[in-house]
């Protein structure tokens, strides 16, 4: 018997099928890559926005905490045309009511209700009675709203505290509520380039100091400290101030623009300065 031979047909891809398969795989791969890139970029953008938001919140909270505790009408800001963006104020160390002040002549002392913080205070302090404007306050003239104490020390007898000034000073007439603030040395917040700095321990100056003022603000830590970075504020006025009066509080407006690459975040915030005469 002769063996039976069978012929099997060999199957494969034609050139057209191969090209179509490669094209389809390329489309699928391109779509997958685009999806991954888009998802990754979306994640990066979200992370960047969250980072800017966190920096903005921390910066705003820091400024509000300090500025809200400013001696009324001790706040002064630079004008937009000056090229420097700074805010300066005197922090309140304590507040009370004055009992005995000689408004008719210069004196080296005055009596007040005892301060709450008392012996915990240290360093140079400035008794302030109702400053009308920052220019009048920082002029340090006599008569004027502000005296000076080189080193505060508590002196209380019979629920009356005596403040001894560095030199004889005549205060201007006060108000019916007899409010007296005890201020600390001024501090400043300034936007420089992409950073905001906090300055301290530079004394009381008649004219407001800025980073551009020679030998006015400190240049090294700890008297100059970074508060935040990633600020792009050239198109915005960082600090605006409406002064307080007998019938209204003071108001500070913040305009801070944080930026990273194509992402930016503009924070506009208002801070009230309680003004109790």
């Amino acid at each position: 018997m002769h063996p039976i031979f069978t012929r099997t047909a060999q199957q494969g891809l034609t050139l057209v099928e191969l090209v179509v398969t490669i094209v389809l795989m390329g489309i699928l791969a391109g779509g997958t890559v685009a999806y991954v890139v888009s998802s990754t970029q979306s994640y990066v953008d979200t992370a960047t926005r969250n980072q800017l938001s966190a920096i903005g919140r921390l910066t705003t909270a820091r400024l509000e905490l300090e500025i809200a505790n400013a001696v009324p009408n001790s706040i002064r800001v630079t004008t937009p045309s000056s090229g420097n963006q700074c805010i300066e104020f005197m922090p309140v160390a304590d507040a009370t009511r004055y009992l005995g002040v000689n408004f008719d002549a210069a004196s080296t002392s005055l009596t007040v209700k005892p301060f709450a913080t008392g012996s915990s205070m240290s360093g140079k302090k400035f008794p302030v009675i109702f400053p009308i404007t920052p220019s009048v306050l920082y002029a340090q003239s006599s008569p004027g709203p502000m005296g000076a104490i080189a080193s505060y020390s508590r002196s209380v007898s019979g629920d009356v505290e005596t403040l001894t000034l560095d030199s004889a000073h005549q205060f201007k007439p006060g108000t019916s509520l007899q409010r007296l603030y005890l201020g600390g040395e001024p501090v400043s917040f300034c936007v420089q380039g992409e950073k905001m700095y906090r300055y301290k321990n530079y004394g009381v100056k008649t004219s407001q100091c800025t980073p551009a003022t020679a030998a006015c603000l400190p240049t090294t830590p700890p008297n100059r400290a970074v508060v935040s970075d990633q600020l792009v504020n050239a198109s915005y006025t960082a600090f605006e101030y409406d002064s307080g009066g007998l019938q209204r509080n003071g108001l500070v407006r913040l305009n801070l623009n944080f930026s990273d690459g194509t992402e930016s975040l503009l924070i506009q915030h208002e801070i009230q300065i309680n003004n109790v005469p």
Side-chain angles (χ1 to χ4, degrees), residues 41-177:
Q41 187 60 49
S42 177
Y43 172 79
V44 171
D45 292 343
T46 301
T48 301
R49 286 193 291 269
N50 288 339
Q51 181 183 19
L52 292 176
S53 179
I55 294 173
R57 286 196 304 270
L58 290 173
T59 303
T60 304
R62 173 71 180 276
L63 288 168
E64 181 163 20
L65 180 65
E66 295 205 39
I67 294 174
N69 191 46
V71 173
N73 290 332
S74 70
I75 295 174
R76 53 184 178 180
V77 299
T78 53
T79 59
S81 60
S82 68
N84 297 281
Q85 301 189 48
C86 295
I87 183 170
E88 182 183 33
F89 57 91
M90 296 180 68
V92 173
D94 208 329
T96 187
R97 299 184 188 279
Y98 59 82
L99 299 175
V101 179
N102 186 356
F103 291 113
D104 298 323
S107 175
T108 57
S109 66
L110 64 153
T111 56
V112 301
K113 294 289 292 182
F115 291 109
T117 50
S119 57
S120 64
M121 291 190 292
S122 61
K124 191 165 187 175
K125 296 291 181 286
F126 302 88
V128 179
I129 297 178
F130 191 54
I132 303 299
T133 63
S135 59
V136 171
L137 177 68
Y138 289 104
Q140 304 179 74
S141 57
S142 181
M146 181 172 70
I149 300 174
S151 181
Y152 171 83
S153 61
R154 190 173 176 86
S155 176
V156 179
S157 177
D159 200 33
V160 174
E161 181 165 356
T162 300
L163 298 180
T164 302
L165 307 178
D166 291 353
S167 58
H169 181 82
Q170 181 181 354
F171 287 93
K172 286 189 174 181
T175 65
S176 59
L177 295 181

